[in-house]
Amino acid sequence: MSESPILLTPGPLTTAIETRRAMLRDWGSRDPAFIALTAELRSRLLQVASGEGSHVAVPLQGSGTFIVEAAIATLVGPADKLLVLINGAYGERMVTIARRMGRAVEALRWAEDRVVEPGKVAEALRADPSITHVALVHCETTTGILNPLAEIAAVVAAAGRGFLLDAMSSFGAIGIDLSSVPVTALLASSNKCLEGVPGLGFALVQPAALERAVGNSPSLSFDLHAQWRGFETDGQWRFTPPVQVVAALVEALRRLEAEGGPAGRLRRYQENFDTLWAGMRRLGFALFLDEAVQAPIIATFRMPADGRLEFRRFYDALAARGFLIYPGKLTQAESFRIGCIGALDRRDFERLLEAVAEALRTMEVAA
Ligand SMILES: *Cc1c(COP(=O)(O)O)cnc(C)c1O
């Protein structure tokens, strides 16, 4: 088996060997040992966001999109209307999901390099009393932009609407305090800032919202109310759980606690980002975003305008040196992305920068 590459991606990402080792055993899904592991998982997920007193954790098999789909199908009822605040591809995906689920949905859009503006959200909610729920992507992974969560949550709560937060690429690193920020349901997955392996999403939901949502979902599998009732009834998953993924995520959550929780993790990611950005700037690259709105989660770099850097060749040159970067996802500009998250530190980024410099030399791009 060859050595794992360094993943500079927004997930799946580089995981600690201890996290991967936690998968080296079999678990009976209905055995007390696994029921206890599931209980630990649910309680640790709440702890990360101080949600023990206000929310319940509902894990669901699948990738991050699955939990977003389940949350919209369950919490936005057939007579409700969702307003999605969009400044990137993951916001657009929520509109697609709502339409497929047959839900009424509206979109409010900003450019990909602009944050969502709380004032405009308040206006939209005043203008349309039929909107019952608002959805926001916390860190839009399309660019790495960080939306002003506390301000938007306050506007939505003041207007008395439900609030769905896609915190997929922020949860575990950017502190979210559910005991003070009003969020109906927070959605995230195992394989981003929690540094687990892929295969599981979860919702941290206000139980009253789940109780109201009984029978809402048109889907058997994507039904967070039924999934929640399952856990509350016998501590078990309704359908086959990804047992190894759960074991790895519990280990990853213990490691998060040992690192000092989200604050400790953010310090490491910020150092990763600062190292990366300083080095890339020296090599002549420019960030797509203004630094004031950039989260230290994933950096989007503009393709140099001279056209001599071709993504595929650049990717291959870095891959040959053990580093996997990520293509851009912008609608308007040529770009590529480098993730700062995962079990990596400043030294990994220093080595990456050496590899980028070498790749540029071999590609004969003047750096
Ligand atoms: C990763 C991600 C998702 C889910 O993507 P999957 O590929 O389904 O795991 C959703 N929203 C955001 C903001 C993300 O970064």
Side-chain angles (χ1 to χ4, degrees), residues 18-19 21-25 27 34 37 41 197 200 242-254:
E18 293 83 355
T19 297
R21 242 185 230 133
M23 296 190 287
L24 294 179
R25 63 161 280 188
W27 298 81
F34 187 72
L37 198 66
L41 171 70
V197 303
L200 187 157
V243 290
Q244 279 80 14
V245 177
V246 171
L249 185 54
V250 169
E251 173 61 23
L253 285 162
R254 292 174 187 154

Side-chain angles (χ1 to χ4, degrees), residues 10-11 62-66 68 90-91 93 137-142 166-170 189 191-192 326:
S63 89
T65 304
F66 291 39
V68 177
Y90 291 100
R93 188 177 295 174
V137 179
H138 188 199
C139 173
E140 234 316 339
T141 323
T142 308
D166 172 348
M168 211 68 65
S169 64
S170 57
S189 70
N191 63 273
K192 291 191 177 175
Y326 217 57

Side-chain angles (χ1 to χ4, degrees), residues 83-86 108-110 115-128 131 133-136 148 151-157 159 161 163:
L83 173 69
V84 186
L85 311 174
I86 302 178
L108 203 53
R109 291 187 172 82
W110 286 263
V115 293
V116 169
E117 298 159 285
K120 293 254 167 71
V121 179
E123 243 171 68
L125 294 180
R126 268 196 302 275
D128 187 350
I131 293 166
H133 294 78
V134 176
L136 173 75
E151 291 84 346
I152 294 163
V155 160
V156 175
R161 320 297 170 86
F163 185 46

Side-chain angles (χ1 to χ4, degrees), residues 50-360:
S50 307
E52 301 98 317
S54 52
H55 290 65
V56 293
V58 187
L60 180 74
Q61 301 89 331
S63 89
T65 304
F66 291 39
I67 192 72
V68 177
E69 189 148 357
I72 291 175
T74 307
L75 300 173
V76 182
D80 293 339
K81 187 194 223 178
L82 178 67
L83 173 69
V84 186
L85 311 174
I86 302 178
N87 56 352
Y90 291 100
E92 296 291 352
R93 188 177 295 174
M94 287 203 274
V95 173
T96 307
I97 289 171
R99 289 216 176 98
R100 289 289 284 266
M101 288 290 163
R103 299 305 191 235
V105 57
E106 297 271 344
L108 203 53
R109 291 187 172 82
W110 286 263
E112 286 168 328
D113 60 350
R114 292 279 172 261
V115 293
V116 169
E117 298 159 285
K120 293 254 167 71
V121 179
E123 243 171 68
L125 294 180
R126 268 196 302 275
D128 187 350
S130 71
I131 293 166
T132 54
H133 294 78
V134 176
L136 173 75
V137 179
H138 188 199
C139 173
E140 234 316 339
T141 323
T142 308
T143 56
I145 199 168
L146 189 67
N147 283 312
L149 167 61
E151 291 84 346
I152 294 163
V155 160
V156 175
R161 320 297 170 86
F163 185 46
L164 311 185
L165 180 67
D166 172 348
M168 211 68 65
S169 64
S170 57
F171 188 80
I174 297 175
I176 300 171
D177 184 355
L178 290 175
S179 70
S180 64
V181 178
V183 178
T184 309
L186 176 155
L187 314 170
S189 70
S190 53
N191 63 273
K192 291 191 177 175
C193 300
L194 294 181
E195 301 185 356
V197 303
L200 187 157
F202 54 88
L204 308 183
V205 201
Q206 292 174 339
L210 277 173
E211 269 154 18
R212 275 196 303 276
V214 59
N216 269 358
S217 179
S219 159
L220 178 71
S221 303
F222 292 164
D223 183 339
L224 285 191
H225 179 272
Q227 186 85 351
W228 174 55
R229 290 316 314 162
F231 290 123
E232 296 295 314
T233 307
D234 57 8
Q236 300 185 16
W237 296 63
R238 277 190 302 158
F239 311 128
T240 303
V243 290
Q244 279 80 14
V245 177
V246 171
L249 185 54
V250 169
E251 173 61 23
L253 285 162
R254 292 174 187 154
R255 297 177 63 78
L256 174 62
E257 185 182 14
E259 193 174 2
R265 184 144 299 178
L266 185 64
R267 271 195 295 281
R268 176 163 56 84
Y269 289 174
Q270 187 69 56
E271 202 183 12
N272 290 350
F273 174 83
D274 292 345
T275 305
L276 172 70
W277 173 214
M280 291 296 277
R281 187 189 303 164
R282 275 196 303 277
L283 291 168
F285 288 95
L287 273 179
F288 172 72
L289 291 175
D290 190 301
E291 271 184 86
V293 296
Q294 169 80 58
I297 300 290
I298 188 164
T300 301
F301 294 99
R302 292 177 184 279
M303 272 297 178
D306 62 20
R308 277 183 293 175
L309 189 62
E310 199 257 309
F311 178 76
R312 196 71 230 178
R313 285 184 63 213
F314 187 47
Y315 179 94
D316 289 345
L318 291 176
R321 291 166 174 80
F323 297 96
L324 303 190
I325 64 168
Y326 217 57
K329 204 180 171 97
L330 297 182
T331 49
Q332 324 107 345
E334 283 291 309
S335 63
F336 63 91
R337 289 178 290 173
I338 297 183
C340 303
I341 60 181
L344 301 171
D345 65 21
R346 177 175 45 81
R347 287 160 305 180
D348 296 299
F349 286 84
E350 285 163 356
R351 280 194 291 275
L352 166 72
L353 289 162
E354 284 166 27
V356 171
E358 262 176 45
L360 292 175

